[in-house]
Amino acid sequence: MPGKTNAISILQVNDHLISWVRARRTSNGVAILDLQQERGAWNLEDGSLEAALKAFVAKHPIANDAVYTVLPRHVITSRIICLPSQEPSEISAMIRLSAEEYVPFRVQELVIDECVLRTTPDGQAWVLAVFAQRDVVDEHVNLLKSVGLQPEKILLSTACLASAALAARANATERYAVVNLAAGGLEAIVISGNRLEYGRGVATGQDWPGDGATHEPIIDELAGEVRASMAAYQRESEDGASVERVFVSSDALGLGAFADSLTVPVDCPCVPAEFGREITARQESAVTDVPPVLLGAALAAQGRAAVSIDLTPEWLTQARSRARARQRVARMAIVAGAFLLGVLGLYAQAVHQRKAYIKELEQRIAAVAPEATGIIAKRRQLGILRQQVDRSASVLELLSALCSLAPDEGMNITRFAYKRGAEIQVSGRALSRAIVDSLSERLREFGQAGLPQFAHANVLYMTNQTERGKPVVDFAIEMPLKAGEDDASGGQAGE
């Protein structure tokens, strides 16, 4: 699971050695914060290894970091093979189909991973294929779980060793070997330029002492294994060439004496693999003398390893994914709950403020109510008085407006009738129909611009008659009153 800190913890655990490196993520190099190792003689079956690891974890700040672990090469099978494809999915499928050619186990019993080392112009790829027994990996994971740790990734020592060498000797063009001594075994890799070309792991059961120069039988055994590894590489290499130099490293510190002792029996210059001095960010690191495998693991934990292998079993990956999904749901529930509480708090505050404001308004209303009642009464009295003194739109004013609009000659108005809320009606005689139509039109225009009571004027009727031997037109014009236009004071008016 993701750690609570930004630090990275790398663990190597076996029956004779517990190693721990703590690193910080950097953009350049590796910042090593701490390195601790503890030797012993433990056993997984009797529980002594678990007890030792539990005490080690309690002593150092590991549990809150992102934890990565490394499995040794001598307990795992790996091959560098050439495949006729450069497509990752096809490479993965071919390796899984051919797994039983390399190990005597069914593919269901294996944890498999691969890394493309290089490609060729003809469409082929050289691949590091790794086959780990599921029981070995599960046993390692269960040991870590028993002390409260869950690894982010399970790395392979071969990939870590190669990544450290390639990072430290990025510009090297020679062909060289790196021999790493691990508790219970050793491994040898060969790098040509910037390519991993060969790897071999051997289980020896040897717990390499720190003063290797004084143990001739151990030196002889080691030299024999190194010579065997170099001979196997020569047989498998395309040109049959040997290495130019051998770098000797160890999972434990203090084994540099082995390098000097191997030069003569191996018949090749052997030097200590001091890769830490080239890889670590010295100004940020508290430690620079770090085993190469742990250095490569720190690079892998930051996604900067040249050779990347992950042996984390699928069940652990799925369990971690489920746990992270539960954490995300829990975080979302917490955020949603906090948001809901915030909304409820704001709502409660708004309700409280609204009630307080309503109460304040009610107090103000109660304070001004007596004065407001008197003001309302006075307003009503003023309204009545205004109606009594307001002469606008009165019957007389309407009659005056009608007279001003009537023609000076050719028409007599004999009757002006005003019916409140209903209509105004004008009757009379005219010499022609045109004069009547003209008056109706002028009334409407005046109604649009001035008195709205005239706005709907229209001729009610026109009849031809004879008066004193002359033809006249008897007419009537009506003006219906719409809502809001009945403002004239007074009652009905006649002729």
Side-chain angles (χ1 to χ4, degrees):
M1 295 299 294
K4 299 176 183 178
T5 71
N6 292 325
I8 299 166
S9 281
I10 312 295
L11 268 179
Q12 271 188 296
V13 183
N14 56 58
D15 292 347
H16 300 285
L17 181 67
I18 299 175
S19 298
W20 169 63
V21 159
R22 196 180 200 211
R24 183 176 63 248
R25 301 180 188 274
T26 62
S27 58
N28 184 28
V30 177
I32 303 298
L33 306 178
D34 198 1
L35 168 63
Q36 299 293 333
Q37 292 188 323
E38 187 171 322
R39 284 182 173 273
W42 308 298
N43 191 283
L44 183 62
E45 283 72 20
D46 63 12
S48 57
L49 179 58
E50 179 183 335
L53 181 58
K54 184 176 295 185
F56 188 89
V57 171
K59 190 186 305 182
H60 303 291
I62 301 174
N64 291 335
D65 293 348
V67 179
Y68 295 77
T69 62
V70 184
L71 287 178
R73 167 64 178 82
H74 61 265
V75 300
I76 289 172
T77 301
S78 70
R79 295 286 186 274
I80 296 177
I81 54 179
C82 184
L83 295 176
S85 175
Q86 296 179 0
E87 179 63 34
S89 59
E90 295 179 358
I91 290 174
S92 178
M94 285 188 282
I95 289 175
R96 280 152 181 78
L97 285 173
S98 59
E100 295 182 13
E101 298 179 14
Y102 304 103
V103 289
F105 303 102
R106 297 182 304 164
V107 68
Q108 293 83 1
E109 301 174 15
L110 299 172
V111 177
I112 302 174
D113 197 22
E114 65 280 337
C115 176
V116 176
L117 301 176
R118 61 187 174 96
T119 58
T120 61
D122 60 355
Q124 296 183 342
W126 286 91
V127 179
L128 172 63
V130 180
F131 309 92
Q133 263 187 279
R134 188 176 297 276
D135 290 345
V136 173
V137 177
D138 289 350
E139 184 180 80
H140 179 71
V141 172
N142 291 330
L143 172 63
L144 296 175
K145 287 180 63 178
S146 68
V147 298
L149 301 179
Q150 188 176 109
E152 291 289 316
K153 287 185 178 180
I154 300 175
L155 308 174
L156 176 66
S157 62
T158 301
C160 297
L161 188 64
S163 296
L166 291 170
R169 299 175 51 78
N171 299 320
T173 58
E174 65 178 333
R175 183 176 304 185
Y176 61 93
V178 181
V179 175
N180 186 67
L181 310 179
L186 65 83
E187 71 173 304
I189 63 172
V190 175
I191 295 176
S192 179
N194 60 354
R195 301 194 308 264
L196 173 64
E197 292 195 342
Y198 174 77
R200 176 174 181 254
V202 182
T204 63
Q206 184 66 257
D207 179 21
W208 309 101
D211 55 347
T214 63
H215 296 264
E216 292 185 5
I218 294 177
I219 294 296
D220 292 341
E221 179 184 356
L222 177 58
E225 294 295 349
V226 173
R227 288 195 301 267
S229 298
M230 298 304 99
Y233 166 69
Q234 283 185 283
R235 289 193 301 270
E236 295 182 14
S237 65
E238 297 177 357
D239 55 10
S242 182
V243 300
E244 303 170 42
R245 186 160 38 161
V246 177
F247 290 88
V248 180
S249 67
S250 172
D251 287 348
L253 298 176
L255 300 184
F258 279 115
D260 297 332
S261 304
L262 287 173
T263 298
V264 174
V266 173
D267 193 23
C268 181
C270 297
V271 296
E274 298 176 339
F275 299 151
R277 299 179 181 179
E278 303 295 331
I279 299 175
T280 55
R282 298 187 183 182
Q283 294 181 349
E284 303 179 40
S285 298
V287 182
T288 57
D289 187 12
V290 182
V293 170
L294 297 179
L295 284 174
L299 289 171
Q302 299 179 68
R304 290 160 44 199
V307 182
S308 179
I309 294 293
D310 183 7
L311 296 176
T312 307
E314 185 177 357
W315 66 265
L316 180 58
T317 302
Q318 293 175 348
R320 184 184 299 125
S321 298
R322 289 193 296 269
R324 286 174 175 164
R326 288 194 296 269
Q327 285 185 341
R328 285 194 296 269
V329 171
R331 284 195 294 268
M332 291 175 62
I334 292 172
V335 171
F339 177 77
L340 182 58
L341 287 176
V343 171
L344 291 175
L346 290 174
Y347 177 75
Q349 183 180 8
V351 170
H352 174 73
Q353 291 177 343
R354 184 173 300 176
K355 288 182 177 178
Y357 186 57
I358 291 173
K359 184 176 180 180
E360 181 182 352
L361 291 178
E362 289 175 345
Q363 291 174 349
R364 291 183 182 179
I365 292 172
V368 301
E371 298 180 5
T373 303
I375 292 173
I376 293 173
K378 291 179 180 180
R379 287 187 62 183
R380 290 175 180 172
Q381 294 172 1
L382 288 174
I384 296 171
L385 182 60
R386 185 182 298 113
Q387 290 180 359
Q388 293 176 351
V389 301
D390 187 7
R391 305 301 298 172
S392 63
S394 65
V395 174
L396 293 177
E397 184 180 6
L398 295 175
L399 181 58
S400 174
L402 174 63
C403 293
S404 65
L405 296 173
D408 295 336
E409 57 184 18
M411 175 181 286
N412 289 327
I413 296 176
T414 60
R415 184 173 179 269
F416 176 83
Y418 172 73
K419 296 180 181 179
R420 179 179 295 277
E423 63 178 359
I424 300 173
Q425 195 174 101
V426 178
S427 303
R429 294 184 178 84
L431 294 179
S432 66
R433 292 175 177 268
I435 295 175
V436 178
D437 289 335
S438 175
L439 175 59
S440 176
E441 180 66 25
R442 293 177 70 184
L443 288 170
R444 284 194 298 272
E445 291 176 355
F446 192 77
Q448 296 292 334
L451 292 174
Q453 290 85 349
F454 293 170
H456 309 291
N458 65 287
V459 179
L460 182 61
Y461 66 85
M462 287 189 292
T463 58
N464 295 325
Q465 294 183 5
T466 301
E467 185 177 326
R468 297 180 183 178
K470 292 182 180 180
V472 295
V473 177
D474 191 11
F475 71 90
I477 297 175
E478 66 175 353
M479 289 167 274
L481 298 177
K482 304 295 183 179
E485 296 175 351
D486 186 17
D487 294 331
S489 61
Q492 179 175 315
E495 293 182 2

